[in-house]
Amino acid sequence: MDAQVIHTRTASHWIDASGVGRSVYKQGAEESFADAIENIDARITLSKAFGKAVPLLVDLRPIKSQTRDVRSYYGGPEAATASVACALLVESRISTLIGNFFLQVQQTRLTTRIFSSETEAIAWLKGFQK
Amino acid sequence: MNGELSFSARLQMIRTMIVELTQGDTGQRDDLHQQIDAKISVLADDLAQRDALTAEADRQGNELIQMMLAMAVGDYSVRVAVGDDDTLLNALGTGLNMLSEEVAAYRDTRERLQQEIIQMQAATLREVSTPIIPITDEVLVMPLIGTIDAQRAQQVIEALLEGIAARQADVAILDITGVAVVDTLVANGLIRAAKAAQLLGARVVLTGMRPEVAQTLVGLDVDLSSIATYGSLQAGIGAVLQQFTNDTRHTNGTRLSLAHYIEQLPRSA
């Protein structure tokens, strides 16, 4: 069965065959608070359909900007309901900056780490699968 | 832009061709002419592109400086435009935009907390500066300490009236033993409090009237004839309770309004 994919204005979301949640931003995405709500809703919908919260890989590489209220929202309880851990995948200067800003400035309830290697990120996330 | 060779290397190549042009035969010269034209054309395009990038970098740099200057004077509303490329300046712009948002949010939170603390302190100060102590069901004592200005005088009146109304008190004893200076403002405040209490069916007794305060009030020509006064809080309480006890005994234990008895008290003692 093909995985259900939810497309929002700024990202695409699905749970892959190994049970890892994926959120991939669209190229040049400028994420607002409304976008963040939409993205979390998508993740919650997917995890409910899957039957449990999953470890999540967020591909930040294509993102262009993210407002403070977005970072704050992702650090809150809503984001923690759909996932058990979060790996932020970065590459560019901007995505690295956004990822680090989120991690260093924002108090996040979800166990979160930054990776520049997708393989290492997935390996780390697998440790959270029950 | 040609990434293979530097500008200086390509200029050197063109120079070499020009030297060969002056030394070679006719056939070679035409070919060299074309090569030189082509290389100069590419070089000119690269230089134009470099000029455009430099101009854009200057524009972004100036925007970043303007934003930093705005932040330096506490204006966190300025944002820099960030392009799509992953350039150092775009990353700096992104970082500065986020930093400005965070600082603004921190400042707003701090200001809100400061306001809350100030309001809490003011409320606590109000409570401490206008304490109401009920010594019987009918009698309240309000000891006043420190300096009384117009604002505090108003607070005294408000707290006194609230206390009288809440406890249905008959008598409120205002003790000014601890008031540093009693001037026209304080005296008028006390008279206003007495009149307001009267409207609620209660009487005000003033205690702690020190000799120098009495002299000041005489000098100010303030009319305190409507308020019973006593030299000490102890004397005031004693007089009020004694009067109450005597009259209760005379009425076979029937409770009557103490305000009625206070009317019978001497105006000064």
Side-chain angles (χ1 to χ4, degrees):
Chain A
M1 189 177 73
D2 290 340
Q4 179 191 3
V5 181
I6 299 178
H7 298 284
T8 63
R9 195 185 76 86
T10 52
S12 298
H13 311 267
W14 72 95
I15 296 175
D16 69 19
S18 68
V20 172
R22 303 282 191 134
S23 290
V24 180
Y25 280 93
K26 294 176 181 172
Q27 191 61 45
E30 297 180 62
E31 192 175 21
S32 68
F33 186 57
D35 293 321
I37 292 173
E38 195 185 14
N39 287 332
I40 291 291
D41 282 351
R43 290 176 197 168
I44 291 172
T45 302
L46 289 169
S47 62
K48 276 183 179 169
F50 191 73
K52 62 180 180 181
V54 293
L56 176 69
L57 178 67
V58 179
D59 190 347
L60 276 177
R61 290 176 295 187
I63 200 169
K64 182 176 172 185
S65 68
Q66 196 177 58
T67 57
R68 184 181 185 277
D69 46 6
V70 169
R71 292 192 291 278
S72 178
Y73 188 63
Y74 282 144
E78 291 88 351
T81 57
S83 313
V84 292
C86 178
L88 301 175
L89 190 58
V90 300
E91 186 180 65
S92 63
R93 289 188 183 99
I94 290 174
S95 63
T96 304
L97 194 64
I98 289 173
N100 275 298
F101 232 90
F102 175 73
L103 215 57
Q104 302 298 327
V105 178
Q106 193 61 50
Q107 298 286 323
T108 173
R109 293 171 181 231
L110 198 60
T111 305
T112 305
R113 273 183 66 177
I114 291 182
F115 293 89
S116 56
S117 156
E118 185 168 339
T119 309
E120 287 176 18
I122 294 289
W124 180 72
L125 287 173
K126 294 276 185 188
F128 291 90
Q129 282 182 324
K130 294 171 184 171
Chain B
M1 188 179 291
N2 188 335
E4 299 293 323
L5 294 171
S6 67
F7 279 103
S8 60
R10 282 188 280 163
L11 283 171
Q12 182 61 40
M13 191 184 292
I14 292 170
R15 182 179 172 279
T16 306
M17 286 177 177
I18 291 170
V19 170
E20 288 173 1
L21 188 65
T22 56
Q23 294 169 350
D25 57 32
T26 309
Q28 282 179 318
R29 282 178 189 173
D30 289 342
D31 185 43
L32 282 169
H33 264 300
Q34 285 176 0
Q35 284 188 43
I36 290 169
D37 283 346
K39 292 210 177 289
I40 286 175
S41 175
V42 170
L43 199 57
D45 287 348
D46 284 356
L47 283 170
Q49 197 178 348
R50 176 172 281 202
D51 285 347
L53 286 173
T54 304
E56 176 60 12
D58 282 351
R59 186 196 64 72
Q60 278 189 300
N62 282 328
E63 250 190 279
L64 289 171
I65 289 168
Q66 291 304 317
M67 183 174 177
M68 283 190 271
L69 290 174
M71 287 173 74
V73 295
D75 179 3
Y76 300 104
S77 63
V78 179
R79 296 284 178 273
V80 294
V82 176
D84 293 328
D85 300 329
D86 190 41
T87 63
L88 186 59
L89 282 173
N90 279 338
L92 278 174
T94 301
L96 206 55
N97 284 343
M98 289 195 293
L99 188 63
S100 181
E101 278 184 310
E102 293 295 337
V103 174
Y106 173 74
R107 182 196 57 181
D108 292 347
T109 303
R110 192 188 59 188
E111 284 178 358
R112 198 186 67 246
L113 287 174
Q114 275 178 341
Q115 281 305 315
E116 285 175 9
I117 290 168
I118 289 169
Q119 285 171 3
M120 282 169 61
Q121 285 176 334
T124 305
L125 201 60
R126 270 199 302 278
E127 285 172 16
V128 171
S129 64
T130 56
I132 298 266
I133 305 165
I135 57 170
T136 70
D137 287 344
E138 302 84 8
V139 183
L140 302 177
V141 175
M142 178 185 266
L144 299 175
I145 296 168
T147 304
I148 296 180
D149 57 10
Q151 189 184 1
R152 190 166 172 218
Q154 184 60 35
Q155 287 171 359
V156 167
I157 294 169
E158 286 171 9
L160 185 68
L161 296 181
E162 278 176 24
I164 289 171
R167 293 182 170 79
Q168 297 291 299
D170 293 322
V171 182
I173 298 175
L174 275 178
D175 180 57
I176 59 168
T177 308
V179 176
V181 177
V182 176
D183 55 12
T184 312
L185 180 78
V186 175
N188 286 335
L190 296 172
I191 291 167
R192 281 177 58 206
K195 287 180 177 171
Q198 229 167 351
L199 292 173
L200 293 179
R203 287 283 183 275
V204 169
V205 172
L206 193 59
T207 64
M209 186 67 79
R210 303 190 305 276
E212 65 272 22
V213 171
Q215 277 185 15
T216 304
L217 292 176
V218 168
L220 293 171
D221 200 23
V222 176
D223 180 15
L224 290 173
S225 60
S226 61
I227 306 176
T229 58
Y230 291 87
S232 68
L233 176 60
Q234 185 183 13
I237 292 173
V240 168
L241 295 181
Q242 183 61 46
Q243 188 71 36
F244 176 76
T245 306
N246 290 343
D247 285 323
T248 302
R249 194 162 52 233
H250 294 157
T251 55
N252 296 320
T254 307
R255 184 190 180 283
L256 296 175
S257 167
L258 259 183
H260 167 76
Y261 303 124
I262 300 304
E263 289 291 357
Q264 314 304 320
L265 289 172
R267 291 299 173 209
S268 61

